[in-house]
Amino acid sequence: MNDNSAIESIELQPIARICGEPLLEIPQDLYIPPDALEVFLDTFQGPLDLLLYLIRKHNLNILDIPMAELTQQYMAYVEMMRVDQLELAAEYLLMTALLIEIKSRMLLPNPKIETEQEHDPRAELVRRLLEYEQMKHAATRINELPQAGRDFNVIQIRIDQPPAAVQLPGINTDDLRNAWMAILTRARIHHPHQIKRETLSVRAYMSQVLRDLRGCDQVEFYELFSPTATVAEVIVTFLAVLELVKELLLEVSQSHDAGVIYVRSIDAAQSA
Amino acid sequence: MSAPLMPLNQLDTPDPLSPEKVKRVLEAALLTTSEPLPISELRKLFNLELNATVLSKLLEEIREKWLDSSVELVSVASGWRFQTKADIQPYLERLTPPKAPRYSRAALETLAIITYRQPVTRGDIEEIRGVSVSSSVLKTLMTRGWIEAVGHRNVPGKPALFATTQHFLDDLNLRSLEELPPLEEMRSLIDSSAKNQDLPFEIPEAHD
Amino acid sequence: MSAPLMPLNQLDTPDPLSPEKVKRVLEAALLTTSEPLPISELRKLFNLELNATVLSKLLEEIREKWLDSSVELVSVASGWRFQTKADIQPYLERLTPPKAPRYSRAALETLAIITYRQPVTRGDIEEIRGVSVSSSVLKTLMTRGWIEAVGHRNVPGKPALFATTQHFLDDLNLRSLEELPPLEEMRSLIDSSAKNQDLPFEIPEAHD
């Protein structure tokens, strides 16, 4: 399987251009002109990518990589990269170290019995190279899939919205309670505030009494009490009247002893 | 298929630009935009090589083609656009129920004060909340029919006294104000949130 | 017109719900929404009164009806959606520059690793690529909504585990990860005809 020449012939596309000069290929001795370093770094995603390129495009045998030269040159690049690409330099350096390790181990007498294959650093490197290559291919394939916004657009037209019936906010008793709690909490934090001891039902009946009196000049006292009212309701209504009088909202009058007691809203009295 | 409308530009568009193709492109462009597209903009689709008259005619044809559909092509002030027809609206609303509006905190607190302290004047509400109450808040609640002025306090300025209405109770599914969360329960909640210090005010109690 | 699919609800929908009407409503709903709509969502259009089978059948009919158009109905991971066909794209790009960015090799490789090896940490990606992964690459993919952190690996530093999203599948017109191109077997890296003696180890196979 010697497709070396075939690959070479189609691979005449410049891999990069340096000052307008096409860089046709990465030379086998890995010498990269210093000017080209930046382009070179852009061209390859990292040492794995470079190594893969060398192996695939130049049919370079991992075992035959000229370690001494490569190391020398890598060290020179590392020096240059250190200026602003320290991390990348470290990665190339690491790869160089790995290659040297592999090479040195391969030069040692080959102990025919390899008990644990996984511990062979070359096997590990090959595994990584293959995995990386597989992902590189997968990346290309993914990029070839149709992509929303690039190869097609999603449809979205307008909904012809007629003036919708005004929807009113809904509330529930929890909303009211929470609002009230917020008020109380705030009052506690900010300033002492006297909130009188009163019962809700009295306040509700106060409103009701005022409502009943609205539009009337005055009513007789007994008219404020519904004939069907329970004892509790009668008491609460009476308390409400007293409270309203205290708050100067009602005027209660009796022209003579045991006479008719009239109740009028002071508001009504004033405007009358 | 009709004759090409303009010479084929091999590099740019591989197939001849028949009226059918132009209509396909127009449809796609109009379907991908919710904003109306004026003819001047639509001409860009064809590198300005088709004039407005041709496009108008084709747009009219597209409009007719879509007449029976649930979507219509309309020409509005700023251009052409596709939109759904009104009879589809009720269905679409089931998909995205309109978000229920909410009352502001100011409105809710005002309502709570009127509910629990009624009848109260605007001044009372402001005193309790510690901030002024905007007229719009009161107006909102009045328009809703939840509060009403039940009288006036006999002090200078004769401020209106507000109370909640029967309609408010109805809307909250309550038979009477007594069914509201009792204030006593609130006290325990507040107490539990207050760490050490004594409350600087007396907590109102609900008891008959 | 065909027989109604369900009894007419006079208050809600004034006309009987024939298959034609259902298709009109489905079309309108899908044309007005840019996000794919799953059947479960589409059922809401009809107050859940039509089952998934009926809707699937009608959606299929709609899909066929639109086949010759410049717009197609497709089923992707999150549901059904209308989209333009690829041949229209060059025209549309004249109107609005393409919205989708072209991704760098680093971004595409990172995406491929997350796609095929998910869930993976940044460290896993760096291990495979042999270089560090810049935060901007991950951020780009996250901003696009294609990847997300789905958890943390329980090792020191608790690194985030990344996975692809449903939105990623949607954007690539896919219904599931299984529809992605399968990983290719890579050609062996060591030439068997190489002058070197027998290899002292077995070459691991690429596997997924």
Side-chain angles (χ1 to χ4, degrees), chain C residues 139-193:
Chain C
K139 208 178 144 210
T140 301
L141 296 171
M142 299 246 260
T143 310
R144 181 78 193 261
W146 281 1
I147 64 164
E148 63 183 343
V150 291
H152 296 266
R153 183 168 289 159
N154 198 16
V155 294
K158 297 221 170 276
L161 284 162
F162 295 100
T164 54
T165 62
Q166 186 151 291
H167 185 68
F168 164 68
L169 295 174
D170 289 343
D171 272 3
L172 264 61
N173 255 350
L174 303 171
R175 267 168 305 188
S176 72
L177 282 172
E178 281 77 43
E179 289 188 2
L180 279 164
L183 285 179
E184 296 159 65
E185 290 285 315
M186 292 298 126
R187 185 161 51 90
S188 165
L189 280 175
I190 297 181
D191 198 334
S192 52
S193 70

Short mmCIF file of all heavy atoms in Angstrom, two decimals, chain C residues 139-193:
data_model
loop_
_atom_site.label_atom_id
_atom_site.label_comp_id
_atom_site.label_asym_id
_atom_site.label_seq_id
_atom_site.Cartn_x
_atom_site.Cartn_y
_atom_site.Cartn_z
N LYS C 139 -17.31 29.18 24.72
CA LYS C 139 -18.34 30.21 24.88
C LYS C 139 -19.13 30.39 23.58
O LYS C 139 -20.35 30.53 23.60
CB LYS C 139 -17.67 31.53 25.29
CG LYS C 139 -18.60 32.40 26.11
CD LYS C 139 -17.94 33.68 26.56
CE LYS C 139 -18.97 34.79 26.54
NZ LYS C 139 -18.38 36.10 26.26
N THR C 140 -18.40 30.35 22.46
CA THR C 140 -19.07 30.48 21.16
C THR C 140 -20.13 29.40 20.99
O THR C 140 -21.26 29.68 20.60
CB THR C 140 -18.04 30.34 20.02
OG1 THR C 140 -17.04 31.35 20.20
CG2 THR C 140 -18.68 30.49 18.66
N LEU C 141 -19.76 28.17 21.32
CA LEU C 141 -20.69 27.06 21.14
C LEU C 141 -21.85 27.13 22.14
O LEU C 141 -22.98 26.74 21.82
CB LEU C 141 -19.95 25.73 21.27
CG LEU C 141 -18.88 25.47 20.19
CD1 LEU C 141 -18.06 24.23 20.54
CD2 LEU C 141 -19.54 25.30 18.82
N MET C 142 -21.54 27.63 23.33
CA MET C 142 -22.60 27.77 24.33
C MET C 142 -23.58 28.87 23.92
O MET C 142 -24.79 28.70 24.04
CB MET C 142 -22.00 28.15 25.68
CG MET C 142 -21.04 27.12 26.21
SD MET C 142 -21.64 26.33 27.69
CE MET C 142 -20.74 27.23 28.90
N THR C 143 -23.02 29.99 23.44
CA THR C 143 -23.86 31.11 23.04
C THR C 143 -24.79 30.70 21.90
O THR C 143 -25.94 31.12 21.85
CB THR C 143 -22.99 32.31 22.58
OG1 THR C 143 -22.00 32.54 23.58
CG2 THR C 143 -23.81 33.55 22.37
N ARG C 144 -24.27 29.87 21.03
CA ARG C 144 -25.11 29.39 19.93
C ARG C 144 -26.20 28.43 20.45
O ARG C 144 -27.14 28.11 19.74
CB ARG C 144 -24.23 28.69 18.89
CG ARG C 144 -24.98 28.16 17.67
CD ARG C 144 -25.29 29.28 16.70
NE ARG C 144 -26.25 28.90 15.68
CZ ARG C 144 -25.95 28.53 14.44
NH1 ARG C 144 -24.70 28.51 14.06
NH2 ARG C 144 -26.89 28.21 13.58
N GLY C 145 -26.01 28.00 21.69
CA GLY C 145 -27.00 27.08 22.26
C GLY C 145 -26.80 25.65 21.79
O GLY C 145 -27.71 24.84 21.86
N TRP C 146 -25.59 25.34 21.31
CA TRP C 146 -25.34 24.00 20.79
C TRP C 146 -24.80 23.06 21.86
O TRP C 146 -24.95 21.85 21.76
CB TRP C 146 -24.35 24.08 19.61
CG TRP C 146 -25.01 24.50 18.34
CD1 TRP C 146 -26.32 24.83 18.17
CD2 TRP C 146 -24.39 24.62 17.05
NE1 TRP C 146 -26.56 25.16 16.85
CE2 TRP C 146 -25.39 25.04 16.15
CE3 TRP C 146 -23.09 24.43 16.58
CZ2 TRP C 146 -25.13 25.25 14.79
CZ3 TRP C 146 -22.84 24.64 15.23
CH2 TRP C 146 -23.85 25.05 14.35
N ILE C 147 -24.09 23.62 22.83
CA ILE C 147 -23.59 22.77 23.91
C ILE C 147 -24.01 23.37 25.25
O ILE C 147 -24.33 24.56 25.33
CB ILE C 147 -22.04 22.62 23.89
CG1 ILE C 147 -21.36 23.98 24.13
CG2 ILE C 147 -21.56 22.01 22.58
CD1 ILE C 147 -19.90 23.87 24.50
N GLU C 148 -24.01 22.53 26.26
CA GLU C 148 -24.33 23.03 27.59
C GLU C 148 -23.62 22.17 28.62
O GLU C 148 -23.24 21.04 28.34
CB GLU C 148 -25.84 23.02 27.84
CG GLU C 148 -26.43 21.62 27.79
CD GLU C 148 -27.94 21.59 27.94
OE1 GLU C 148 -28.50 22.58 28.40
OE2 GLU C 148 -28.53 20.55 27.61
N ALA C 149 -23.43 22.75 29.81
CA ALA C 149 -22.84 21.97 30.90
C ALA C 149 -23.97 21.14 31.50
O ALA C 149 -25.01 21.68 31.87
CB ALA C 149 -22.24 22.90 31.94
N VAL C 150 -23.78 19.84 31.55
CA VAL C 150 -24.86 18.99 32.06
C VAL C 150 -24.54 18.43 33.44
O VAL C 150 -25.34 17.70 34.00
CB VAL C 150 -25.16 17.82 31.10
CG1 VAL C 150 -25.80 18.32 29.83
CG2 VAL C 150 -23.91 17.02 30.79
N GLY C 151 -23.37 18.79 33.96
CA GLY C 151 -23.01 18.29 35.28
C GLY C 151 -21.54 18.55 35.53
O GLY C 151 -20.91 19.32 34.80
N HIS C 152 -21.03 17.92 36.56
CA HIS C 152 -19.63 18.09 36.89
C HIS C 152 -19.02 16.75 37.19
O HIS C 152 -19.66 15.90 37.79
CB HIS C 152 -19.47 19.03 38.09
CG HIS C 152 -19.96 20.39 37.81
ND1 HIS C 152 -19.12 21.40 37.38
CD2 HIS C 152 -21.20 20.93 37.86
CE1 HIS C 152 -19.85 22.49 37.18
NE2 HIS C 152 -21.12 22.23 37.47
N ARG C 153 -17.79 16.56 36.77
CA ARG C 153 -17.14 15.29 37.08
C ARG C 153 -16.60 15.37 38.49
O ARG C 153 -16.06 16.39 38.91
CB ARG C 153 -16.01 15.01 36.09
CG ARG C 153 -15.37 13.65 36.35
CD ARG C 153 -14.47 13.22 35.22
NE ARG C 153 -15.25 12.87 34.03
CZ ARG C 153 -14.75 12.86 32.81
NH1 ARG C 153 -13.50 13.20 32.61
NH2 ARG C 153 -15.50 12.53 31.78
N ASN C 154 -16.78 14.29 39.21
CA ASN C 154 -16.42 14.29 40.62
C ASN C 154 -14.92 14.05 40.81
O ASN C 154 -14.50 13.05 41.38
CB ASN C 154 -17.24 13.24 41.36
CG ASN C 154 -17.22 13.49 42.85
OD1 ASN C 154 -16.85 14.58 43.29
ND2 ASN C 154 -17.59 12.49 43.62
N VAL C 155 -14.13 14.97 40.32
CA VAL C 155 -12.68 14.92 40.52
C VAL C 155 -12.26 16.30 41.01
O VAL C 155 -13.06 17.23 40.95
CB VAL C 155 -11.94 14.58 39.19
CG1 VAL C 155 -12.28 13.17 38.74
CG2 VAL C 155 -12.28 15.59 38.10
N PRO C 156 -11.03 16.44 41.51
CA PRO C 156 -10.63 17.76 42.01
C PRO C 156 -10.89 18.85 40.97
O PRO C 156 -10.61 18.67 39.79
CB PRO C 156 -9.13 17.58 42.27
CG PRO C 156 -8.98 16.13 42.58
CD PRO C 156 -10.01 15.42 41.75
N GLY C 157 -11.43 19.95 41.41
CA GLY C 157 -11.74 21.05 40.51
C GLY C 157 -13.15 20.95 39.96
O GLY C 157 -13.68 21.90 39.42
N LYS C 158 -13.76 19.77 40.13
CA LYS C 158 -15.12 19.54 39.65
C LYS C 158 -15.37 20.16 38.28
O LYS C 158 -16.21 21.04 38.12
CB LYS C 158 -16.13 20.11 40.66
CG LYS C 158 -16.08 19.44 42.00
CD LYS C 158 -17.50 19.23 42.55
CE LYS C 158 -17.52 18.36 43.75
NZ LYS C 158 -17.52 16.95 43.47
N PRO C 159 -14.65 19.69 37.27
CA PRO C 159 -14.82 20.29 35.94
C PRO C 159 -16.21 20.01 35.36
O PRO C 159 -16.79 18.96 35.62
CB PRO C 159 -13.74 19.61 35.10
CG PRO C 159 -13.48 18.31 35.77
CD PRO C 159 -13.69 18.57 37.24
N ALA C 160 -16.71 20.99 34.60
CA ALA C 160 -18.03 20.86 33.98
C ALA C 160 -17.99 19.80 32.89
O ALA C 160 -16.99 19.65 32.19
CB ALA C 160 -18.47 22.19 33.40
N LEU C 161 -19.08 19.06 32.77
CA LEU C 161 -19.24 18.07 31.71
C LEU C 161 -20.12 18.69 30.62
O LEU C 161 -21.23 19.13 30.89
CB LEU C 161 -19.90 16.81 32.26
CG LEU C 161 -19.02 15.90 33.10
CD1 LEU C 161 -19.87 14.95 33.93
CD2 LEU C 161 -18.07 15.11 32.21
N PHE C 162 -19.59 18.70 29.41
CA PHE C 162 -20.36 19.30 28.32
C PHE C 162 -21.06 18.26 27.46
O PHE C 162 -20.53 17.16 27.26
CB PHE C 162 -19.43 20.14 27.43
CG PHE C 162 -18.85 21.33 28.15
CD1 PHE C 162 -17.56 21.29 28.65
CD2 PHE C 162 -19.62 22.47 28.35
CE1 PHE C 162 -17.03 22.38 29.33
CE2 PHE C 162 -19.11 23.55 29.02
CZ PHE C 162 -17.81 23.51 29.52
N ALA C 163 -22.22 18.63 26.97
CA ALA C 163 -22.98 17.77 26.06
C ALA C 163 -23.64 18.66 25.02
O ALA C 163 -23.76 19.87 25.22
CB ALA C 163 -24.03 16.98 26.84
N THR C 164 -24.05 18.04 23.93
CA THR C 164 -24.76 18.84 22.93
C THR C 164 -26.22 18.97 23.34
O THR C 164 -26.73 18.19 24.13
CB THR C 164 -24.70 18.18 21.53
OG1 THR C 164 -25.18 16.85 21.65
CG2 THR C 164 -23.29 18.18 21.00
N THR C 165 -26.87 19.98 22.79
CA THR C 165 -28.26 20.26 23.15
C THR C 165 -29.21 19.79 22.05
O THR C 165 -28.78 19.44 20.95
CB THR C 165 -28.48 21.77 23.32
OG1 THR C 165 -28.21 22.38 22.05
CG2 THR C 165 -27.56 22.35 24.36
N GLN C 166 -30.47 19.84 22.38
CA GLN C 166 -31.50 19.52 21.39
C GLN C 166 -31.49 20.59 20.29
O GLN C 166 -31.72 20.31 19.12
CB GLN C 166 -32.85 19.49 22.09
CG GLN C 166 -33.97 19.03 21.21
CD GLN C 166 -35.05 18.35 22.02
OE1 GLN C 166 -34.88 17.26 22.55
NE2 GLN C 166 -36.16 19.02 22.14
N HIS C 167 -31.19 21.81 20.70
CA HIS C 167 -31.14 22.93 19.75
C HIS C 167 -30.07 22.68 18.68
O HIS C 167 -30.25 23.06 17.52
CB HIS C 167 -30.83 24.21 20.52
CG HIS C 167 -30.86 25.44 19.68
ND1 HIS C 167 -32.01 25.93 19.12
CD2 HIS C 167 -29.87 26.27 19.27
CE1 HIS C 167 -31.73 27.01 18.42
NE2 HIS C 167 -30.43 27.23 18.49
N PHE C 168 -28.98 22.05 19.08
CA PHE C 168 -27.92 21.71 18.13
C PHE C 168 -28.48 20.77 17.06
O PHE C 168 -28.27 20.98 15.86
CB PHE C 168 -26.76 21.06 18.90
CG PHE C 168 -25.76 20.33 18.06
CD1 PHE C 168 -24.93 21.02 17.18
CD2 PHE C 168 -25.62 18.95 18.15
CE1 PHE C 168 -23.99 20.35 16.41
CE2 PHE C 168 -24.68 18.28 17.39
CZ PHE C 168 -23.87 18.97 16.52
N LEU C 169 -29.21 19.75 17.50
CA LEU C 169 -29.81 18.82 16.55
C LEU C 169 -30.80 19.55 15.64
O LEU C 169 -30.82 19.35 14.43
CB LEU C 169 -30.50 17.68 17.30
CG LEU C 169 -29.59 16.76 18.11
CD1 LEU C 169 -30.42 15.78 18.92
CD2 LEU C 169 -28.64 16.01 17.19
N ASP C 170 -31.61 20.43 16.25
CA ASP C 170 -32.57 21.20 15.47
C ASP C 170 -31.86 21.98 14.36
O ASP C 170 -32.27 21.97 13.21
CB ASP C 170 -33.32 22.19 16.36
CG ASP C 170 -34.29 21.52 17.31
OD1 ASP C 170 -34.62 20.34 17.07
OD2 ASP C 170 -34.71 22.17 18.29
N ASP C 171 -30.79 22.67 14.75
CA ASP C 171 -30.09 23.52 13.81
C ASP C 171 -29.41 22.74 12.70
O ASP C 171 -29.09 23.28 11.64
CB ASP C 171 -29.05 24.38 14.53
CG ASP C 171 -29.64 25.68 15.05
OD1 ASP C 171 -30.87 25.86 14.87
OD2 ASP C 171 -28.91 26.51 15.61
N LEU C 172 -29.18 21.44 12.95
CA LEU C 172 -28.55 20.60 11.92
C LEU C 172 -29.58 19.70 11.25
O LEU C 172 -29.20 18.75 10.56
CB LEU C 172 -27.42 19.78 12.54
CG LEU C 172 -26.04 20.41 12.36
CD1 LEU C 172 -25.94 21.77 13.02
CD2 LEU C 172 -24.96 19.50 12.90
N ASN C 173 -30.87 20.03 11.48
CA ASN C 173 -31.91 19.26 10.80
C ASN C 173 -31.95 17.80 11.21
O ASN C 173 -32.25 16.94 10.39
CB ASN C 173 -31.67 19.31 9.30
CG ASN C 173 -32.64 20.23 8.63
OD1 ASN C 173 -33.58 20.68 9.26
ND2 ASN C 173 -32.40 20.53 7.37
N LEU C 174 -31.57 17.52 12.44
CA LEU C 174 -31.51 16.12 12.86
C LEU C 174 -32.56 15.86 13.91
O LEU C 174 -32.95 16.76 14.66
CB LEU C 174 -30.13 15.81 13.44
CG LEU C 174 -28.94 16.07 12.54
CD1 LEU C 174 -27.65 15.93 13.33
CD2 LEU C 174 -28.95 15.11 11.36
N ARG C 175 -33.02 14.62 13.96
CA ARG C 175 -33.98 14.27 15.00
C ARG C 175 -33.30 13.68 16.23
O ARG C 175 -33.78 13.80 17.33
CB ARG C 175 -35.02 13.30 14.45
CG ARG C 175 -36.26 14.04 13.95
CD ARG C 175 -37.14 13.13 13.15
NE ARG C 175 -36.38 12.52 12.05
CZ ARG C 175 -36.94 11.80 11.10
NH1 ARG C 175 -38.23 11.58 11.12
NH2 ARG C 175 -36.23 11.29 10.13
N SER C 176 -32.16 13.03 16.03
CA SER C 176 -31.45 12.47 17.18
C SER C 176 -29.97 12.38 16.83
O SER C 176 -29.57 12.49 15.67
CB SER C 176 -32.00 11.09 17.52
OG SER C 176 -31.57 10.18 16.54
N LEU C 177 -29.16 12.15 17.86
CA LEU C 177 -27.72 12.03 17.65
C LEU C 177 -27.38 10.87 16.73
O LEU C 177 -26.37 10.88 16.04
CB LEU C 177 -27.01 11.84 19.00
CG LEU C 177 -26.81 13.11 19.85
CD1 LEU C 177 -26.28 12.74 21.22
CD2 LEU C 177 -25.85 14.07 19.17
N GLU C 178 -28.28 9.86 16.73
CA GLU C 178 -28.02 8.69 15.89
C GLU C 178 -28.01 9.05 14.41
O GLU C 178 -27.49 8.31 13.58
CB GLU C 178 -29.07 7.59 16.11
CG GLU C 178 -28.84 6.77 17.37
CD GLU C 178 -29.25 7.51 18.62
OE1 GLU C 178 -30.32 8.14 18.60
OE2 GLU C 178 -28.50 7.47 19.60
N GLU C 179 -28.64 10.17 14.07
CA GLU C 179 -28.68 10.55 12.65
C GLU C 179 -27.39 11.22 12.18
O GLU C 179 -27.24 11.53 11.01
CB GLU C 179 -29.87 11.48 12.39
CG GLU C 179 -31.21 10.78 12.47
CD GLU C 179 -32.36 11.65 12.02
OE1 GLU C 179 -32.13 12.81 11.61
OE2 GLU C 179 -33.49 11.18 12.07
N LEU C 180 -26.48 11.47 13.12
CA LEU C 180 -25.20 12.06 12.73
C LEU C 180 -24.38 11.04 11.95
O LEU C 180 -24.55 9.84 12.12
CB LEU C 180 -24.42 12.47 13.99
CG LEU C 180 -24.82 13.80 14.61
CD1 LEU C 180 -24.28 13.88 16.03
CD2 LEU C 180 -24.28 14.95 13.79
N PRO C 181 -23.49 11.53 11.10
CA PRO C 181 -22.65 10.58 10.37
C PRO C 181 -21.88 9.72 11.37
O PRO C 181 -21.35 10.25 12.35
CB PRO C 181 -21.68 11.46 9.59
CG PRO C 181 -22.13 12.85 9.75
CD PRO C 181 -23.18 12.91 10.80
N PRO C 182 -21.83 8.40 11.15
CA PRO C 182 -21.08 7.56 12.10
C PRO C 182 -19.59 7.88 12.03
O PRO C 182 -19.09 8.34 11.00
CB PRO C 182 -21.37 6.15 11.61
CG PRO C 182 -21.81 6.30 10.21
CD PRO C 182 -22.41 7.65 10.05
N LEU C 183 -18.89 7.62 13.11
CA LEU C 183 -17.44 7.83 13.12
C LEU C 183 -16.79 6.89 12.14
O LEU C 183 -17.17 5.72 12.04
CB LEU C 183 -16.90 7.60 14.52
CG LEU C 183 -17.19 8.70 15.54
CD1 LEU C 183 -16.62 8.31 16.89
CD2 LEU C 183 -16.62 10.03 15.09
N GLU C 184 -15.82 7.41 11.40
CA GLU C 184 -15.15 6.56 10.41
C GLU C 184 -14.00 5.81 11.05
O GLU C 184 -13.34 6.31 11.94
CB GLU C 184 -14.59 7.43 9.28
CG GLU C 184 -15.67 8.15 8.49
CD GLU C 184 -15.09 9.35 7.77
OE1 GLU C 184 -14.26 9.15 6.88
OE2 GLU C 184 -15.46 10.48 8.12
N GLU C 185 -13.77 4.63 10.52
CA GLU C 185 -12.58 3.88 10.92
C GLU C 185 -11.38 4.54 10.25
O GLU C 185 -11.41 4.81 9.05
CB GLU C 185 -12.69 2.43 10.41
CG GLU C 185 -13.74 1.61 11.12
CD GLU C 185 -13.30 1.21 12.51
OE1 GLU C 185 -12.14 0.78 12.66
OE2 GLU C 185 -14.11 1.34 13.44
N MET C 186 -10.37 4.81 11.00
CA MET C 186 -9.20 5.47 10.42
C MET C 186 -8.21 4.42 9.92
O MET C 186 -8.04 3.36 10.51
CB MET C 186 -8.53 6.36 11.46
CG MET C 186 -9.39 7.56 11.83
SD MET C 186 -9.69 8.62 10.42
CE MET C 186 -11.45 8.73 10.41
N ARG C 187 -7.57 4.77 8.84
CA ARG C 187 -6.56 3.88 8.26
C ARG C 187 -5.40 3.75 9.25
O ARG C 187 -5.04 4.70 9.93
CB ARG C 187 -6.07 4.50 6.95
CG ARG C 187 -5.12 3.70 6.15
CD ARG C 187 -5.13 4.23 4.70
NE ARG C 187 -4.94 5.68 4.64
CZ ARG C 187 -3.72 6.24 4.54
NH1 ARG C 187 -2.64 5.52 4.52
NH2 ARG C 187 -3.62 7.54 4.46
N SER C 188 -4.89 2.58 9.32
CA SER C 188 -3.80 2.33 10.27
C SER C 188 -2.65 3.31 10.03
O SER C 188 -2.39 3.73 8.90
CB SER C 188 -3.29 0.91 10.12
OG SER C 188 -2.05 0.80 10.76
N LEU C 189 -2.01 3.70 11.10
CA LEU C 189 -0.95 4.69 10.98
C LEU C 189 0.39 4.07 10.67
O LEU C 189 1.34 4.74 10.32
CB LEU C 189 -0.85 5.50 12.28
CG LEU C 189 -1.88 6.60 12.44
CD1 LEU C 189 -1.73 7.22 13.81
CD2 LEU C 189 -1.74 7.65 11.36
N ILE C 190 0.47 2.78 10.85
CA ILE C 190 1.77 2.16 10.65
C ILE C 190 1.71 1.24 9.44
O ILE C 190 0.91 0.31 9.37
CB ILE C 190 2.21 1.40 11.91
CG1 ILE C 190 2.37 2.44 13.02
CG2 ILE C 190 3.51 0.66 11.67
CD1 ILE C 190 2.82 1.90 14.32
N ASP C 191 2.49 1.64 8.46
CA ASP C 191 2.52 0.93 7.19
C ASP C 191 3.04 -0.49 7.43
O ASP C 191 4.14 -0.68 7.95
CB ASP C 191 3.45 1.69 6.24
CG ASP C 191 3.18 1.28 4.80
OD1 ASP C 191 2.70 0.15 4.62
OD2 ASP C 191 3.45 2.09 3.91
N SER C 192 2.25 -1.45 6.98
CA SER C 192 2.66 -2.83 7.22
C SER C 192 3.90 -3.18 6.39
O SER C 192 4.68 -4.06 6.73
CB SER C 192 1.52 -3.79 6.89
OG SER C 192 1.04 -3.51 5.59
N SER C 193 4.09 -2.43 5.28
CA SER C 193 5.24 -2.70 4.44
C SER C 193 6.49 -1.96 4.93
O SER C 193 7.53 -2.01 4.30
CB SER C 193 4.94 -2.30 2.99
OG SER C 193 4.87 -0.89 2.90
#
